[in-house]
Amino acid sequence: MKKLTSIIAAMVLTVAPAAAKKGDPKPLPADPTPRIIEIETANTAMILTVDKDGSLMFDYYGKKIDDPAPFLQKNSYRRVDFCTDPAAYITQGGREQRQASLAVTHCDGDLNTQLRYVSHEVEKAGNRTVTTIQLSDAVKPFDVKLVYEACTGQDVIVVHSEITNRENGDVRLRNYFSANISAQADRYYLTQFGGAWAREMGMQESELTRGIKTISSQKQVRAVQLENPSFMLSLDHPLDENSGNVIAGALAWTGNFDLSFEVDDFDILIMRAGINPYSAEYTLRTGETMVTPDVILTFSDSGAGEASRNLHDWARECGGVYDAEEVCPTLLNSWEGAYFDFDTELLKHMIDDTADMGLEMFVLDDGWFGNEFPRNNTKQGLGDWQVNRAKLPGGIDEIASYAVSKGLKFGIWIEPEMVSPRSELARKHPDWVVGYNTGRELTTTRNQWLLDLSNPDVQDFVFEVFDNTMKMSPHISYIKWDANRHVENAGSAHLDRETQSMFWVKYTQGLYNVYKRIREAYPDVIIQACASGGGRVEYGALKYNDEAWTSDNTDARSRIFIQYGTSHIYPSVVMGSHVSAVPNHQTEGITPLKFRFDVAMSGRLGMELQPKNLTDDEKAFARKAIATYKQLRPTIMYGDLYRLHSPYEKGNYASLMYVEKDKSKAVLFAYCFEYRGRDTVCRLKLTGLDPGRKYRLTEVNVEKKPIFWGEGMTFSGEFLTNEGVNLPLTKRYSSAVFVLEAVE
C-alpha cells in the first residue's frame, strides 16, 4: 500500500487558513535575546543565530560542528552600519541590499518588511527533526515561519516558508521564495541541468562571478524541460565526483520556478529557490497564509557522488517519490510500435509478444479514444475520453483482460490537462481553456490547448477523466499521464481581474488538488509523470507519481547523457528508460540491440517498438536480457550509485555502478559511444565496494564471448578499488554489464 498519510502531510497547499487572529493590529512581540539555532543531520549542520536586534541570520551550512558557540561570539562583532552576513530570510527593507527572498506591498502601501525573531520550537519523530522559527515584522502584524525538516539518516534538510497576513487589508506578495541559504568560499562553481525537448538534463558548469545568475522557467507546464529546478554548487574547485565540498539542491514545484545565485559585495554567495515571481504577484487576504514549496538541500564533503546518494536516499525513504517501494514493472509501450494506427487484433499481437519476451506489463498509449472526433492523429479528440468504438469495439476491458490472461499488468495513456480545438469538450466549454478570457487568438502546440486548472470545475473534470478511465476495467494498474504543451497567452476566465497574476500559482495548486484526490481514491495505481518526456522530472510531481518519463528521446547514445545528468538529483527508481527501434524515431541513430539494452537497464527497463519487427535472434536476446534485468533490479533500483566515468570527460565512454547497501552485490555498466582506437582500454576503478571482501565478477548480456580477461574470477575489493578493471571497449557502441557478488 502507498504511504498515503505521509504523502498528504507533505503536500504543498498554496494557501491555508492562518492560525493568527484576523485583523490583529499588533505585530507579535520580538525576542532579541541572542541565541544559536542549529539544524542537524547525522553529518551536517545548518546554523542560524539571533542577532542583538532580533534579526535572524544565516551563518553556516556544511559539515557538523561539535561546538557552534563561536558563531554567537562572531555575532557580537557584526558590522552594524550595513549587513555583512545575510539574513536567514532576506526581505526588502531595512539595511539589506541583496535581492529579496520576500518582497511585500503591505495593505497601506509600505514596501518594507523587517522580520524579527519571536520564538522557535523543535519536534522530533523518528528520523525527522522539524525546527519551526516564528518571525514577525517589527512594525506590522505580518508573520513568517521558517520550517526546516532535517532527515537525519539521509543528510538532507528540507526548507519552506509560511507567510501570514494579519493586517487589516490585503497584502501583495511580489517575491515569495521558499528559502535562502548562503556559503562562503574563494570560488563558486555552479552545475545546472537542462537542454531542450529530447536533450533534457544536459550538464553545464560555470564559475559564478559578482552579480546574479538565475535558473528559471516561465512555461508553467513542462516547466522543467529547458532548465531543471535543481543544482550542484561546488565550493573552491570545479565539481568532482569523489572530492570537495558540494551543496546540492532541488525545488519541489510543478510550475514556474526561480533559482538564483548572487555573489555579493563581500564575496558571499546567497542562493534562493522558490516560485518564479515573474508576472505572478500574489494577493494574500487578511487571515491567509501562503505555504511555499519545499527546497531539498544536502551537503557533501566528498564530492558530487555523495550528494547524489544523499538525495536518492531521501527520495526513496522520506517521501520524495510517491511510493519508491513499489517497483515499476518492465513494460512494452505501444507508442513507437503502433502510434495511432492500431485495432484490437494488433494490440493483442503486441501483448502476446510482450508476454513472450518476459516483460511484465503492456501500456496502451495515445489514440484509443474519441468518436465524433476520433483520435487518429494529433489534430483532434483530446478531451473526449470515451473509447473509440471503431478501433476497440470491445472496449478497454477486452484489451486489459487479455493482457492479464497472458500474465501481464495493463496500463493506459491519458492527457487530461489538454483539449483539442476539434473536440466535443472545446465546443461545450471554451471558457475552460487558458487564455479564453483575453479575447486574443488561442495559439496551439501539438494542435491542442491547455485547460485552466485554477478553475475548480476543471479540477473536477480532470479527476473524472482519471476516475472514469480507471473504471473502464478493473485490470488497469498503471496510468501514463502526459502533458504536451506549455502556457501561452496566460489568462483565466475563472479568476477576476484583480487576481489574474495568481493564475500561475493557482494552476499548480489545482494540479496538486487533483493529485491529492486521485491518491485518496487510487493509492495503489502506478502513475508516470510523462509531460513530453522530462517535463515533470522534479520532486513536486514525484510526491504523487511513482516514476517519470525521462525523455522522449529513446536513442541509447543520447540517453547515456540524459540519464547521467538526471542521476545527479533523481534516483534510478523514477527513470523510465526504454529500448526502442532503429533507426531511432527521434535521432535516426542506429545502435546495436545489446547497446540499447545495456543503457536502458541502468534505469527502469521498458521497450518502445513493434516486436514483430525483431528477428528471432533479437527476440531471444531480449528475453535473456529482460530476465537478467529482473534479477538485478533490486540492486539497480535501491543500490547506491557510483558514477565512475563521465561521458563529458575525455575518452568517449561512460561508466556507472550500483552497489547494495551491505556491499554484498554490485552491477557495473560501461558504454563506449565513439570509436576510441584499436589499442585503448577503459580503466575503471570500482568505488563503493568493501575493500576487505572478495567479489566474483560475471558479465551478463554477452553476445559472443565475454570481453574481460577476468570473467568469472574472484578479486578483492581492495584490488577492484585501487587497480580496477581494464575493459577493451574500443568500438563505437560497444558496451558491457557486469555483476559483482561477494563470496566468502
Side-chain angles (χ1 to χ4, degrees), residues 662-717:
D662 64 0
K663 313 289 188 182
S664 64
K665 188 175 183 179
V667 183
L668 167 66
F669 297 89
Y671 317 111
C672 173
F673 50 86
E674 292 292 344
Y675 178 63
R676 288 171 39 78
R678 177 182 295 178
D679 302 320
T680 57
V681 296
C682 302
R683 186 184 178 195
L684 303 172
K685 295 184 178 182
L686 308 188
T687 53
L689 300 175
D690 183 344
R693 302 176 80 169
K694 294 185 180 296
Y695 294 88
R696 181 180 295 110
L697 189 149
T698 305
E699 186 177 355
V700 299
N701 291 357
V702 177
E703 285 188 299
K704 295 179 181 179
K705 62 179 182 179
I707 68 165
F708 181 49
W709 58 266
E711 162 65 21
M713 295 175 61
T714 298
F715 303 88
S716 70

Side-chain angles (χ1 to χ4, degrees), residues 461-512:
F461 171 79
V462 173
F463 172 78
E464 288 165 5
V465 170
F466 192 104
D467 188 45
N468 291 336
T469 301
M470 291 296 298
K471 290 175 180 176
M472 289 178 178
S473 172
H475 300 305
I476 296 175
S477 302
Y478 178 98
I479 294 288
K480 178 181 177 180
W481 183 311
D482 217 337
N484 281 305
R485 68 156 298 160
H486 53 268
V487 175
E488 297 167 348
N489 289 346
S492 169
H494 169 70
L495 299 174
D496 61 33
R497 59 188 294 180
E498 286 78 22
T499 58
Q500 285 297 314
S501 65
M502 295 166 64
F503 163 79
W504 304 100
V505 174
K506 292 289 188 180
Y507 184 98
T508 304
Q509 178 187 4
L511 176 65
Y512 290 167

